[in-house]
Amino acid sequence: MRAGIGGVLAVSAERNALMRAESSAAARRTGAFVAVAVALFCIQLDFFALNLALPGIAAELGVTVSAAQWTLSAYMLAIGCFFIIGGRVGDVFGRRGTLLAGTALFTAGSVGCALAPGLGWLVAARIAQGVGAAFVFPVSVSVITNTFPEESRARALGAVFGIANIGTALGPFVGGGFTEGPGWRWIFWLMAPLSLLSLLVALVYVPDSRDTSAPRELDLLGCALVVCALAALTLAVERGDAWGWASARTLGFFAVAVAAGALFVVRERLARHPLIDLRLFRNVPYVLVTGMGSLSNMGYGVTVFLSTLYLQGVRGLSPLLAGTVFLAPALLVALSGPLGARLARYVRPTAVMALAGAVAGTGMYALAQVGAWWLYVPVFAWCGLGLGLGWTFSSVATQQVVAPARAGEASGVLLTFLVTLGAIALAGTAAAISAMTPERPPEEAYDAILQLGGVVILATAVVVMAVRHRLVLLGRIAPLSMRAPEGAGREPGRRP
């Protein structure tokens, strides 16, 4: 009898222990989700809010708008240079510590920006923000990848980017509203407590994970070379129009970028533990996702830039009203995260990216054809859906086509391409406008660039599907449907 009671008590204790463990795991997943979503929300808000605040910053600090542009350039420079390093540091030394350090630095940078007495201080604080964001973004993706089980991972990433993209949606509205209201500094006062909240939640709930197959070593020479290459390239692209594209300074920075980039590739081939495993680029689905995502991000940046010029320069709208017009496309950008996760349940990641390119390409081309408000706003929204799905889902898709152990590295490489090529696209757009406007009205130049961008993205979507079809025929990747038989093959790098 006693034995029977003891057995029942033992089973009950075991059941309670399992329930506590399951509850603890669920709490960790929820906490990690909240910490990551809030952090990425702040980064996205920060990225898109400051464009409309530049005139206010220039007026208050007593500098030209061109000088105030360094607040954007410095952030782009820092975030672009450190994405790869941030992702790999998380994989090698632990994602929890890297996330905490990046969030803390971003929080401190936000406070520094809010208190900045002059342009130099503001630029320095923006660099701190950029470095912090560069560590947070790729590590956030890999934290979700390694915290959630495979069956719910895509849905969790989609929801995270859905929340983050609310920051994208609110960015122009918040930037314009604060600039016209209490002042641009309140953009940063809004982000400081939110990022601090993310830091505290991460401290309590985010579990640690790392690539256990990699030694705790970092390729420091590789880090120096990639930062040098990306910094030189970003500076040349960002300031080339002001310095002159044929000037010795611009050409010198391009030469440094090429030389450092070539040395980086040689170093990564020879290093025992490289910063980037170059075999990553033999993963064709990863390359397709990265290429389509980069083009989508370039298209998004160019479309937002041109629409801002059009709404304020041609339509004569105030920053607040211009930000209001952006709410329609930005709302669909926010919805693109959950939409991508839902689509990923039925079709392969490369197919979702191609669909995004088709929607984005047609949207950009159509946007150049319309002028009436009743048609402009919905077409702008359609364009935002495709472009948002493209650059948002690319971060989800990379996690589906590479092994989770190297999730941070894959995410860091993707984000580096997104930001660097986005900066190149914006610089090229500004140069094209300068070249075309003496001979034609500004709105004609804007339309021509939008049409070209739409055609390029649409053509790339067709190429992605053609390459995918060829790989399916060769048996190298799985067919289109996620319901294909198990023996049909898998995307390279993905775990069974």
Side-chain angles (χ1 to χ4, degrees):
M1 184 70 175
R2 288 180 179 177
I5 294 175
V8 171
L9 291 175
V11 169
S12 178
E14 183 178 353
R15 184 180 301 160
N16 289 337
L18 288 173
M19 291 177 63
R20 285 195 298 270
E22 186 176 334
S23 176
S24 177
R28 285 197 302 271
R29 287 194 293 268
T30 301
F33 178 88
V34 171
V36 165
V38 173
L40 295 187
F41 171 86
C42 292
I43 292 172
Q44 294 294 89
L45 181 67
D46 181 52
F47 199 90
F48 289 97
L50 216 60
N51 287 281
L52 295 176
L54 286 183
I57 292 173
E60 181 177 332
L61 300 182
V63 297
T64 64
V65 175
S66 177
Q69 180 74 26
W70 275 106
T71 59
L72 299 180
S73 299
Y75 185 81
M76 292 280 287
L77 183 68
I79 201 171
C81 289
F82 285 89
F83 267 142
I84 291 175
I85 297 174
R88 193 58 188 151
V89 165
D91 284 345
V92 172
F93 294 103
R95 298 176 180 108
R96 180 177 184 271
T98 306
L99 177 66
L100 292 174
T103 308
L105 185 58
F106 183 85
T107 304
S110 299
V111 175
C113 289
L115 297 173
L119 183 63
W121 182 292
L122 179 60
V123 169
R126 289 285 286 168
I127 292 174
Q129 272 193 315
V131 175
F135 276 67
V136 168
F137 216 114
V139 171
S140 293
V141 173
S142 55
V143 162
I144 295 297
T145 299
N146 287 273
T147 301
F148 282 79
E150 186 172 358
E151 59 269 15
S152 61
R153 189 177 299 152
R155 188 164 60 253
L157 283 169
V160 161
F161 281 105
I163 294 172
N165 286 342
I166 294 174
T168 304
L170 293 177
F173 185 75
V174 169
F178 279 157
T179 300
E180 287 194 7
W184 58 269
R185 295 178 187 272
W186 282 93
I187 298 172
F188 302 106
W189 284 128
L190 172 65
M191 284 183 292
L194 288 175
S195 52
L196 179 60
L197 172 64
S198 171
L199 177 64
L200 295 176
V201 174
L203 189 64
V204 175
Y205 289 106
V206 171
D208 201 9
S209 62
R210 58 179 291 268
D211 181 0
T212 54
S213 66
R216 293 180 180 266
E217 297 177 15
L218 195 65
D219 180 14
L220 296 179
L221 178 57
C223 291
L225 287 171
V226 75
V227 168
C228 181
L230 291 171
L233 177 61
T234 305
L235 277 173
V237 168
E238 284 279 312
R239 309 307 297 176
D241 199 37
W243 293 341
W245 292 105
S247 69
R249 187 163 26 171
T250 303
L251 295 177
F253 274 113
F254 275 127
V256 169
V258 171
L263 289 173
F264 174 72
V265 172
V266 173
R267 169 63 183 175
E268 296 309 283
R269 287 182 176 275
L270 299 177
R272 287 184 59 194
H273 306 293
L275 188 65
I276 298 175
D277 186 350
L278 297 179
R279 290 175 298 179
L280 181 68
F281 297 103
R282 299 178 191 171
N283 184 335
V284 179
Y286 177 81
V287 172
L288 293 177
V289 165
T290 300
M292 194 73 250
S294 298
L295 274 177
S296 297
N297 190 59
M298 293 166 72
Y300 187 79
V302 168
T303 303
V304 168
F305 176 60
L306 293 177
S307 298
T308 302
L309 295 178
Y310 172 75
L311 293 173
Q312 296 188 62
V314 178
R315 291 281 185 175
L317 301 185
S318 68
L320 180 58
L321 284 177
T324 304
V325 173
F326 274 96
L327 286 178
L331 176 62
L332 291 185
V333 170
L335 293 175
S336 66
L339 174 62
R342 180 171 291 274
L343 289 173
R345 296 165 57 186
Y346 303 102
V347 293
R348 301 290 170 180
T350 44
V352 177
M353 294 300 298
L355 173 63
V359 175
T362 55
M364 287 183 69
Y365 193 88
L367 192 64
Q369 315 300 320
V370 300
W373 279 120
W374 67 270
L375 192 56
Y376 183 89
V377 174
V379 172
F380 195 13
W382 172 259
C383 187
L385 175 64
L387 293 170
L389 180 61
W391 67 260
T392 296
F393 188 73
S394 59
S395 291
V396 180
T398 55
Q399 305 304 291
Q400 296 181 310
V401 297
V402 299
R406 300 189 75 90
E409 175 192 359
S411 179
V413 171
L414 167 75
L415 292 168
T416 300
F417 274 105
L418 259 62
V419 171
T420 304
L421 293 179
I424 292 173
L426 286 175
T429 299
I433 292 172
S434 298
M436 288 189 287
T437 45
E439 301 175 359
R440 60 176 73 181
E443 55 267 33
E444 289 188 13
Y446 305 158
D447 290 344
I449 295 170
L450 283 173
Q451 289 173 3
L452 176 62
V455 169
V456 169
I457 291 177
L458 190 58
T460 305
V462 174
V463 171
V464 167
M465 287 306 295
V467 173
R468 157 168 255 293
H469 179 67
R470 178 64 178 168
L471 293 175
V472 170
L473 292 178
L474 294 174
R476 294 179 57 184
I477 64 174
L480 189 65
S481 174
M482 292 295 285
R483 297 176 179 176
E486 286 296 315
R490 291 183 178 270
E491 303 273 7
R494 192 173 181 186
R495 284 183 173 177

